[in-house]
Amino acid sequence: MGSSKKLFVNAASTQKIFNSKLPYNTNVFLKDKCGNILNVNDSNAETFKLSTADIIGKNDYELFPTQASLKVMENDKKTLQQNRLQFLIEQSCASDKKPETFLSIKIPTQDFSNNIAGVMGVAFPLAKIDMITITNAINSLEIFPSI
């Protein structure tokens, strides 16, 4: 499942997402092209029972079990290769090792020279947030197409 819209997030839009009022338990993350985490919101840090500072600089292998990290990294790579906004269903495990299903929206980011810099994502836990709330949250971000 993916979108055909070709969109990118620049530095200003990235900050706007981190400052957005999203539903509780919504994880926001920013990674470089190598998969290193550059920023996460407080909800994402709470998911792993770590501080934001403890997560920054890590990669998916350091946070998820092997199979989950491989799939997340594959989806990040697909987002970068296709240079497109992606709507994905992803399974992952947090610090409590309980599997959880997320609606993840990933979009390539650009640096100040308009080169692809990495991936920005917003992940909604499907068991904790209803689809109407998710749709309203996505539409409120204004950088994603209306769904």
Side-chain angles (χ1 to χ4, degrees), residues 41-106:
N41 67 343
D42 291 338
S43 177
N44 205 325
E46 288 172 23
T47 298
F48 293 102
K49 299 190 179 7
L50 295 169
S51 71
T52 301
D54 289 335
I55 293 178
I56 292 172
K58 292 192 182 311
N59 62 45
D60 294 318
Y61 284 122
E62 297 172 278
L63 296 172
F64 299 113
T66 303
Q67 290 298 0
S69 65
L70 289 172
K71 186 62 178 168
V72 168
M73 290 168 52
E74 178 184 314
N75 289 337
D76 290 351
K77 185 176 178 181
K78 178 178 159 183
T79 301
L80 292 170
Q81 287 175 337
Q82 294 182 0
N83 292 333
R84 297 190 185 283
L85 173 76
Q86 304 285 331
F87 288 80
L88 305 155
I89 300 296
E90 294 184 306
Q91 296 275 333
S92 64
C93 299
S95 59
D96 59 9
K97 304 296 183 220
K98 293 180 185 172
E100 195 164 3
T101 303
F102 291 85
L103 170 61
S104 296
I105 303 167
K106 296 184 176 184

Side-chain angles (χ1 to χ4, degrees), residues 125-146:
L126 292 177
K128 297 176 183 170
I129 304 174
D130 64 85
M131 287 307 294
I132 293 172
T133 303
I134 292 172
T135 301
N136 289 338
I138 293 167
N139 289 335
S140 75
L141 292 174
E142 296 177 4
I143 63 154
F144 298 123
S146 293

Side-chain angles (χ1 to χ4, degrees), residues 23-36:
Y24 179 71
N25 291 326
T26 300
N27 296 339
V28 180
F29 55 88
L30 178 65
K31 299 177 189 175
D32 65 17
K33 287 192 289 192
C34 298
N36 298 309

